[in-house]
Structures are given as C-alpha cells and as structure tokens.
Amino acid sequence: MSTRRMRPFGAGGPLTYGIALVVVALTLGPVVYGALGGFRSNEQLATDPAGLPDPWLLKNYNGVFANPDFWRYALNSTAIAVITTVVAVVCGVMAAYPLARYQFRLREPLFMVFVLGLLFPAAVAIIPLFILVTRDLEMGNTWWGVALPQAAFWLPITVVILRPFLMAIPKELEEAALMDGASRVGIFWWLMLPLSRPGLVTVAVLAFVGSWNAYLLPLLLLQQDMRTLPLGVADYSTEHSADTAGVLAFTSIAMIPALVLFLALQRRIVGGLQGAVKG
Amino acid sequence: MTPALALMGVFVVWPIVSAVRMSFYRWKGFGPMEDFVGLRNYGRVLGDDVFRDAVAHNFVIVIASVVVQLPLGLAIAMLLNRNIRLRGLLRTVVFVPYVMAEVIAAVIWFQLLQPEYGVVDGLIELVGLTPPEQGFLGTPELALPTLFVVLTWKYLGLAVLLFLAGLQGVPDELYEAAQLDGASWWRTQLRVALPLLGPTIRTWLFLSMIGSLQQFDMVWVLTGGGPANATTTMATYLINQGTQRHNYGIAGAASVVLFLVSFVMALAYQLLILRRDTVVER
C-alpha cells in the first residue's frame, strides 16, 4: 500500500493513538505476560504478580526444551497437521476442479453438499466419530485416525474457497493447451494448479493452523504419548498446576509455530480469501 | 471428486446419521445397540435443568457477542483504517489472539485468573478493590461473564479483520465527497462506511453465531462447565454425557438438539438476510 496517497480524514490525532495503544495493550498483554512469566520463578510470580522478571531465568524454557514429552507432542502435532493439510487440499482441489470447470447435471446440488457441510457443527458428530474411529476402523490412537476426519471437516471450506479460483481461469487458456496436445490430466496439473496457487496457499495454511490448534477430536482420540501440543499444554497445566512459571513457559513455546506460520503468510491468506469472495 | 465425497460420507455424514440413530437408544457404549427407547432420551435432555441452562448460556454468548463485539470490532476497524503510523503492525497485533489455539489461550487465561496468585487479582488489588474470594472463574455469578470477556479477547481480531477488509472496499471518492460536504469523520463513518459494510457484518454475524453455539474448548479448559454448571454449553454437556458418563443415547439426543438449534438459527438468519437485502436495494 502506498503511504503517499492521502486518505481523507487520514491522520489520526492523539486520541486515535491513545485508543490504539489501549487496544494493543489489552490484546498483547496476556500473551506477553505469559512469555515473560516463563522467565520468572514461581516465587517471583507469587510475590509480585504484575512485575518483570528479576532476575531473568532460563530454567523454565530450558526445562521445556529438555522435556522429551514436548518434542513428542510437537512431532504428533506436525505429523497430524501435515496429513490433514495434504489430504484436505488434494481431495479438495480434485473436488473443486470438476465443480468449477465441467458442466454436468448434478453440479450445483453437489456443490450444495459442500456448502451445507460448512454449516455443520462438528460437535454434533463427535461422539459417533469417536466410536467409528476407535472401534470400527481401529485407528483410535493414531495420526491418521485424527487427520482423516479433520480433513473431511475441512473439505467444505476448501472446496468453497477453491472453486472461484478455478472458475476465474480463462477458458481460452485451457483450449489453447488442448490444441497444443495437452491431456486433461496435464491441463489440471500444469495449468490449473499453478494458476490457482494463491487459493491453494490460503486453504493449506488454514487447514494446517486449524489442525495444529484443534482440541476436541484429538482430546477424544489420542492418549498419552500420541497427544498433540494443545492437549499437552492442557495436561501439563493440570498436572503441574503449582508450577505456574513452568506452565507459562510450556504454553508460550507451544503457541509459536501457528503464530509464526500465520503471520508470515497473513497477507497471502487474506488475499486468497478476498479472491474467493470476489469470484 | 470421489475421494472427497467418500471422505465426507465416512467422516461427516455417517457420524451425523449415527448420532441421530444413537439418540433413540439407551446405550452405555458396549454390546449391541438394541434398547430402543423412542423419544425418551429427548425428554430427559429437554427436561434436564443443566441442559436448559446450557442452551441459555449459549444464547447469552450469542447475544452478548452481537451487543459487545460488533460495535467494538467496528470501532477498532474504523480506527485502524485511518492513516496512522504502524497501522500494519497494529492490524497484525489485533489478530494474534485469534490465531492462537483456543486451548492455549485458555491455559494462559486460567493462570491470569487464578485467585490470589493471578495477575488479574493483583491488578484489581492495585486499584484498591477486593477481588472475589473464589476467583472470577470460581464464583458462579461471575464465571459466565468472565468467560465471555476471554472469548471477546480471543475473537475480536476476526471481527476487526473482516470489517477492515470491508472498509477497504469503500471507494475513497465517497469519503472525499462527504468531506467536501463538510461531514465530520464520525458522521462519515456512520453514514457512508457503515451502510456499505452490510454484507461483511452479516458474514461476521453468521460465523459468530455458529461459533457461539458450538463453544467448547475455552469452557472445557477454563471451567469444565462449572462452578455448579454455571458455564455449561450444549457442547460441553454432550461431551460430558458421552465421554464421562457413557450415556451415549443422551449425548446423541443433545447433539441432535444442538444441530436443530444451529439449523433453525441458520434458517432464521437466512430470512434476516433476505429481508435486509431487499431493504438495502429499495
């Protein structure tokens, strides 16, 4: 965005900055407090809840990094998020492609299926899903057992976001490629996929972060060393409730990956969403 | 196409159908499902004060979100839309809580809100007030409002992001015209920007409503539905019935009620949209 262009009523006065400052303080306060709390000791926290670390201690954070459970949880979270993302994006784009580019009788009704799926509260299906995965499929305590249902619940949003991207690609490009002797699969692979990349990035990041942050399904399906980071954080918090500083350190580190990923790609995600809405 | 439909069929449609079937049986989770009880589970769910409170709590959250988060989100979005320094950074900051896992946010807030040692109590004492003895989450009358404050902290960023995107769509010429007419900033926002934000506000409203009805993670970690069921929601009720008490039939019936409530709300919302849009087009 060009900073040169003057917006009407553009400049904010001291009041604007004041309010902005309050908003920032309230938003970031708890997060910063958590991160700083990790550098303090429990005695410091108890005697002066609102103070700064004095002295700064590294033992809480070192403790987290030295904790094999932490790495185990992080590995589980990563594996589940990667599987969820790959399955959701691959199946999603394969479903969105015909819904966007082909004319067939069931096209709109099929698309409606996905739109309806969007409205569905996941909590409604959670108990039967738990029974299905643990008993019928015997995937109870596994990465796939969590990732597949998660991907299924991400499909609607994936299809709804991707379809406009694929629809917006000009027909002429496709026809030209056909004339050049490209196959249907070739067109999909070498033409459609690269051109819809902004949408794919958006969908992939959303699925990844969604999976990384998920709680309910992993809570029901995963036990002990198969648990993911959010579950690990909740467990750690109840098991070490007396060790506030330790809990804060564990929590602060656990929130970093999703934050970094999202903030790094923020612009592209928002751009992708706007593209989907405009289409 | 086929893999997507298969995946949806197995992991979305089938469980939902099973939930409906389960709701007609008394079933403790082992052996075949054969003790058919008709609508009795529904009778028990709807007759349960805890569930009725849960529905009420969900609706309190829905309504409070509209009353509190909508104006707050709009105000912050309009503020951040002004040409102030570090605007980009501010936008990112407001969005941070939304990106965090709900559980992680809940664990942090749980620590902040701890009675005696928590920083919130510390700050309140600093101002010269006495914090509640059982803590904010331990006092039944305060637990739900406190929960709502935390939810607002968590989800305001989404509202701001959406409204900002909507404001970007307002053409600069409109502002300029209003400025030429001598309208004040606030007046311009109210008369020019706000009406054009209609579609964005409706999108947010829908997301916020569905989210409020499904609320689970934050409640589960912060209060577990307590104290004395003061913060149960439909989702925590059904998870509690299903996984802790193994009353699968009751859980099934509660799921169906949750679905019906969401569905009716979505439908009512559709009607609201239709009505609103015809008004705008006049």
Side-chain angles (χ1 to χ4, degrees):
Chain A
M1 184 171 296
S2 74
T3 44
R4 290 273 135 200
R5 194 184 55 165
M6 273 297 286
R7 266 177 169 270
F9 310 101
L15 183 67
T16 313
Y17 282 102
I19 299 172
L21 212 63
V22 172
V23 170
V24 170
L26 287 177
T27 329
L28 278 192
V31 181
V32 172
Y33 179 81
L36 288 179
F39 288 107
R40 307 173 76 193
S41 70
N42 288 311
E43 295 75 45
Q44 288 183 31
L45 282 166
T47 46
D48 181 15
L52 280 172
D54 179 35
W56 290 66
L57 302 171
L58 288 174
K59 73 169 167 72
N60 297 312
Y61 284 107
N62 287 335
V64 177
F65 288 124
N67 185 345
D69 285 346
F70 172 81
W71 294 106
R72 183 75 214 169
Y73 297 147
L75 173 71
N76 291 333
S77 280
T78 312
I80 292 173
V82 168
I83 301 174
T84 304
T85 308
V86 171
V87 174
V89 172
V90 169
C91 291
V93 77
M94 279 165 64
Y97 180 63
L99 287 175
R101 307 299 296 194
Y102 293 130
Q103 287 295 341
F104 56 100
R105 206 155 49 87
L106 285 175
R107 182 170 118 152
E108 292 312 308
L110 272 173
F111 183 62
M112 275 313 286
V113 170
F114 289 102
V115 173
L116 280 178
L118 207 60
L119 304 180
F120 238 104
V124 171
I126 210 80
I127 303 261
L129 200 55
F130 163 71
I131 296 172
L132 172 81
V133 171
T134 50
R135 296 204 194 149
D136 304 341
L137 300 176
E138 294 182 357
M139 296 200 296
N141 212 12
T142 64
W143 291 342
W144 287 89
V146 177
L148 288 181
Q150 275 186 175
F153 273 89
W154 273 103
L155 270 179
I157 186 94
T158 310
V159 171
V160 169
I161 292 179
L162 283 181
R163 189 166 103 132
F165 275 95
L166 293 164
M167 279 177 127
I169 297 169
K171 267 220 141 37
E172 292 75 28
L173 278 177
E174 214 173 338
E175 279 156 12
L178 271 178
M179 300 271 275
D180 291 347
S183 65
R184 278 282 172 196
V185 178
I187 290 177
F188 175 72
W189 197 250
W190 298 112
L191 189 72
M192 299 311 244
L193 282 188
L195 285 174
S196 53
R197 231 181 65 189
L200 290 174
V201 172
T202 305
V203 176
V205 175
L206 288 179
F208 191 93
V209 173
S211 166
W212 189 275
N213 289 347
Y215 181 54
L216 181 52
L217 193 63
L219 175 73
L220 296 189
L221 289 179
L222 301 174
Q223 283 93 40
Q224 275 124 38
D225 61 352
M226 287 307 292
R227 309 203 117 197
T228 55
L229 261 183
L231 297 171
V233 168
D235 283 355
Y236 194 91
S237 159
T238 31
E239 280 160 25
H240 302 77
S241 54
D243 180 17
T244 309
V247 172
L248 290 177
F250 199 123
T251 315
S252 304
I253 296 178
M255 71 183 151
I256 293 175
L259 273 186
V260 168
L261 185 67
F262 204 93
L263 297 182
L265 294 168
Q266 190 189 24
R267 197 149 294 175
R268 303 182 65 172
I269 294 164
V270 175
L273 285 175
Q274 279 164 348
V277 175
K278 271 184 217 143
Chain B
M1 194 76 209
T2 331
L5 287 177
L7 212 58
M8 291 264 291
V10 173
F11 293 107
V12 181
V13 179
W14 170 247
I16 287 165
V17 173
S18 314
V20 177
R21 197 172 91 91
M22 204 165 77
S23 70
F24 295 115
Y25 289 85
R26 193 171 66 186
W27 191 48
K28 281 286 181 184
F30 41 83
M33 214 190 278
E34 53 195 10
D35 191 1
F36 186 82
V37 294
L39 290 173
R40 211 175 305 159
N41 285 328
Y42 289 90
R44 281 184 59 189
V45 166
L46 296 174
D48 187 351
D49 285 342
V50 176
F51 186 76
R52 284 198 294 223
D53 285 350
V55 179
H57 297 151
N58 278 118
F59 276 96
V60 168
I61 297 174
V62 170
I63 293 164
S65 304
V66 178
V67 176
V68 176
Q69 291 175 5
L70 180 60
L72 214 56
L74 277 173
I76 295 174
M78 286 168 177
L79 197 85
L80 293 185
N81 200 39
R82 301 182 93 169
N83 204 1
I84 57 176
R85 245 177 277 174
L86 300 176
R87 187 169 62 180
L89 188 70
L90 285 172
R91 287 179 183 180
T92 308
V93 163
V94 176
F95 208 52
V96 164
Y98 180 69
V99 180
M100 292 169 69
E102 204 163 303
V103 190
I104 291 182
V107 168
I108 292 191
W109 276 97
F110 186 81
Q111 298 294 341
L112 298 180
L113 289 166
Q114 268 189 352
E116 280 183 72
Y117 302 112
V119 70
V120 172
D121 280 13
L123 289 174
I124 285 179
E125 275 168 0
L126 216 64
V127 192
L129 297 170
T130 325
E133 209 170 302
Q134 305 294 319
F136 282 91
L137 296 170
T139 314
E141 303 80 54
L142 293 175
L144 192 61
T146 309
L147 181 73
F148 179 72
V149 170
V150 179
L151 284 173
T152 302
W153 174 82
K154 178 82 173 68
Y155 286 102
L156 201 60
L158 177 66
V160 173
L161 180 93
L162 286 174
F163 297 156
L164 267 173
L167 285 173
Q168 306 269 289
V170 178
D172 280 354
E173 294 77 38
L174 281 179
Y175 288 122
E176 279 158 22
Q179 199 178 22
L180 284 177
D181 288 346
S184 71
W185 183 80
W186 264 115
R187 212 174 149 73
T188 315
Q189 295 297 324
L190 283 180
R191 291 296 172 85
V192 178
L194 197 59
L196 289 170
L197 274 181
T200 318
I201 292 177
R202 286 194 286 274
T203 307
W204 172 80
L205 214 60
F206 186 75
L207 294 175
S208 157
M209 192 177 76
I210 293 291
S212 303
L213 289 175
Q214 288 196 55
Q215 185 49 51
F216 174 82
D217 298 6
M218 191 71 89
V219 188
W220 199 250
V221 177
L222 278 184
T223 64
N229 295 316
T231 55
T232 34
T233 61
M234 287 185 270
T236 67
Y237 179 91
L238 82 90
I239 295 299
N240 185 32
Q241 288 289 347
T243 62
Q244 323 268 318
R245 302 180 188 212
H246 300 285
N247 293 328
Y248 287 101
I250 303 271
S255 318
V256 174
V257 175
L258 168 57
F259 169 66
L260 287 178
V261 171
S262 315
F263 188 73
V264 169
M265 292 285 285
L267 213 65
Y269 179 81
Q270 277 292 330
L271 294 175
L272 195 82
I273 288 188
L274 289 176
R275 209 192 43 159
R276 283 285 188 82
D277 283 348
T278 43
V279 173
V280 172
E281 276 164 18
R282 74 194 131 155

